Amino acid sequence: QQQVKQSPQSLIVQKGGISIINCAYENTAFDYFPWYQQFPGKGPALLIAIRPDVSEKKEGRFTISFNKSAKQFSLHIMDSQPGDSATYFCAASTGNTGKLIFGQGTTLQVKP
Amino acid sequence: GAGVSQTPSNKVTEKGKYVELRCDPISGHTALYWYRQSLGQGPEFLIYFQGTGAADDSGLPNDRFFAVRPEGSVSTLKIQRTERGDSAVYLCASSLMFSSDTQYFGPGTRLTVL
């Protein structure tokens, strides 16, 4: 019920390409779905987040697509850059607590 | 402004010893969270404070782990009788309030238990 499953575990994309990372959840009480970016030796930093009342949210090159019926959401990075090379985590929480349940992470490498 | 800070950045200890990890949240943030991140894994929730009180400690793995936030600002995570399996990066995060506010993470404390 509390699990968030993330795929793929690792991803290699050419510069300028589209990076796509997927997550699936089980707990229908989740109502907040953030994506975090983490560089080696640093703490995770919020990239973009969505609530289930919308199906898509875009901020610059980053887009979240949300499918409530399938209980899935994904991160799309357009025009991927070498500086985007990092580990990405999806997460979910319920409205009455900030307790984040994280996926296992995706290591993205963008080749120049 | 200053972000979340954590000290020490690295801690090496021997099995059975006691350790304290400190977190200084962003000024004015009322909610504070502790997570543990093992190598190659996502952060795992340990405990969260709303003000001075622990609102949810369901993630603490056992009674060797304890956390306090006596004045509603700085928090200390305490681990007694450390075990090799406690080795991980301990992350602290704070948010303006609880619920779905953005959580801002510190750089973490890397704990190694020999």
Side-chain angles (χ1 to χ4, degrees), chain B residues 3 9-11 26 29 31 33-34 37 41 43 47 64 66 76-78 81-82 88-89 94 98 108 113:
Chain B
S9 55
N10 281 284
K11 177 70 177 178
I26 293 172
H29 280 194
Y33 307 83
W34 285 98
Q37 186 173 25
Q41 300 294 317
I47 185 171
R64 295 187 298 105
F66 189 72
T76 304
L77 178 65
K78 307 180 181 192
R81 306 183 302 280
T82 52
V89 174
S94 70
F98 66 102
V113 182

Side-chain angles (χ1 to χ4, degrees), chain A residues 36 38 43 51 89 95 98-100, chain B residues 35 37 42 58 99-100 103 106:
Chain A
Y36 279 81
Q38 186 175 31
R51 296 183 187 275
F89 295 96
K99 172 181 175 181
L100 288 172
Chain B
Y35 294 84
Q37 186 173 25
S58 62
S99 187
S100 302
Q103 293 186 27

Side-chain angles (χ1 to χ4, degrees), chain A residues 60-93:
Chain A
R61 295 186 294 111
F62 302 94
T63 299
I64 298 180
S65 297
F66 185 83
N67 186 330
K68 188 174 182 178
S69 61
K71 292 186 286 185
Q72 295 176 346
F73 59 110
S74 60
L75 174 69
H76 295 232
I77 305 174
M78 311 299 289
D79 188 26
S80 299
Q81 299 296 312
D84 296 332
S85 297
T87 301
Y88 293 80
F89 295 96
C90 63
S93 70

